Amino acid sequence: MASSTDFAPNNTPFQPLIADREGTNFTYDSLHSRVPHILTDIINDFYADIQEYSGPNAEETISEGKELTSALSKLKHEMVTDKKLTPMEDDGVGDIEMWNKWLETYFPSASWYTTPFLTWETYLYRRIGNIFKRSAHWSTHDFFAKKKHSTFMASMVAVAKLCSRVDSLTEESKDGVNKATKTHVAFVDMLQASLWGNQTDLSMFPDLSNEALEEMQARISSGENDSKVVSNDTDKIWGIVSQIKDGRFDIVLDNSGFELLQDVLLAYWLVELGIAKKVVFHTKRIPWYVSDVTNEDFHWLVSIAQNPSLAKTKTKAPLSEEHVAPLKSLGTKWASFLADGTWELRDELFWTCPYGFRYLPTIGKDVWEGELTKADVVIFKGDLNYRKLVYDQQWPVSTPFVEAIGPIATDPNAPAIVALRTSKCDTISGVAPDRAEALFKERKDWMYCGQYGIIQLSPGRWSK
């Protein structure tokens, strides 16, 4: 295995996460059961979309849709029968040459069960996107949209209550009496909410019910989850954020829906308090990992906030005027932030490429130098972004986070990097040995059950 200085995707310092044929690890469970279940859901949901289609060129569109369904079924068969990972045909997105070269260079003869977790899982979602993008009639179809939107709209009352709470918290933070203390307390609250919003991940919990979502939301709002943060750099992060006025914050987004709402509320709070003058949200250009945010998802959320009546018929409890008012008010402000450039969306291809984030200064130089190093703070949201930060391998759990993320921590122009993640995969860094030992005794699956969180910091140039 490699040292940290000669790192390569197929030659990592520690053992990569590969499916155990005996079926004893989470990678095997994901490859054998969880992810095939997700792919089956995609096939079934898309087949329903085909059956309901009545738009232009219906006969051709429906016929092609059935061909795509067959291609998705073939992909599932390749996965469950451990076939070789094959190159993809160009689909016009602009990254297939990189993907195919990466496969040829690092995993030329690899099959699904012999390939690291992060490799086969990202490859799977790019293959799914490739199937749709090469089609004539379905190339812009978001095969995850229906699930993303319905889950969010089913809990609009809880969403409205949260927005009202944050709106009040923002006004309280502006109060001149004990402002510094109030702002500090509010920041901790907002950061925690953004962290735990990551539990609403449809790639990890594809059958997440509306009731379970509302229970999850209630735990976030009550602070019940706070004791489950197993590595917590909040105070260090506040030490940096408290120095910033009219700064730039970038957020590399993860899930749409409720998690995106929490991220948007954090960004709103930062702008309203004068801490941020600009917030740049980094989205995915193609549908990704079931519930990842696209530009369309972001605009959809702002639109629903501006016009809550669009969701009224979708929710089991009606929205009262008390609920509607704060939603409309915030939605209008968010739309104005997008219009005047206070908020911007970027959907760089790097976020759906095969490389981990240690390659940002080289492979992703346009994103690193063109965007991220211009920020004071970059927040990476969620489990997949964390896995790409540290790369999927069996790190000793006490490995410092700044060591695990490599070059983007030590680059002299590096911004402060914050990772907010509820852990849903068995790779992690920066956890004290005694805490890890206690967690393993408490439950063996603590690293991938989605019930524990981390808030970690690489200070970057702020360490000077």
Side-chain angles (χ1 to χ4, degrees), residues 152 156 159-160 162-164 166-167 170 190 257-272 279 281 297-308 326-345:
F152 183 79
M156 283 300 295
V159 165
L162 176 63
C163 287
S164 180
V166 171
D167 201 26
T170 303
M190 298 299 300
F258 187 68
E259 179 176 359
L260 174 59
L261 175 68
Q262 300 280 16
D263 301 336
V264 166
L265 288 169
L266 172 60
Y268 164 73
W269 183 88
L270 289 168
V271 170
E272 287 292 295
V279 178
F281 298 92
D297 292 326
F298 196 103
H299 289 297
W300 179 86
L301 183 142
V302 173
S303 177
I304 287 291
Q306 282 184 284
N307 303 284
L327 268 178
K328 280 186 174 181
S329 174
L330 289 178
T332 300
K333 289 180 180 179
W334 300 342
S336 72
F337 288 163
L338 289 168
D340 68 18
T342 301
W343 287 359
E344 294 184 12
L345 305 183

Side-chain angles (χ1 to χ4, degrees), residues 41-52 65-66 69:
D41 282 348
I42 293 171
I43 294 168
N44 292 339
D45 290 345
F46 180 55
Y47 186 77
D49 290 338
I50 295 169
Q51 297 300 104
E52 295 171 2
K66 291 178 179 178
T69 302

Side-chain angles (χ1 to χ4, degrees), residues 264-301:
V264 166
L265 288 169
L266 172 60
Y268 164 73
W269 183 88
L270 289 168
V271 170
E272 287 292 295
L273 269 292
I275 297 170
K277 187 175 184 178
K278 179 178 284 294
V279 178
V280 179
F281 298 92
H282 297 271
T283 63
K284 305 301 192 299
R285 190 172 298 184
I286 59 175
W288 192 250
Y289 273 68
V290 184
S291 49
D292 277 35
V293 182
T294 62
N295 283 354
E296 291 75 16
D297 292 326
F298 196 103
H299 289 297
W300 179 86
L301 183 142

Side-chain angles (χ1 to χ4, degrees), residues 70 116 133 142 152 167 204 206 210 233 268 317 333 343 365:
S70 296
K133 285 295 182 183
D142 184 348
F152 183 79
D167 201 26
M204 183 67 182
N210 299 329
D233 288 336
Y268 164 73
K333 289 180 180 179
W343 287 359
K365 187 176 182 179

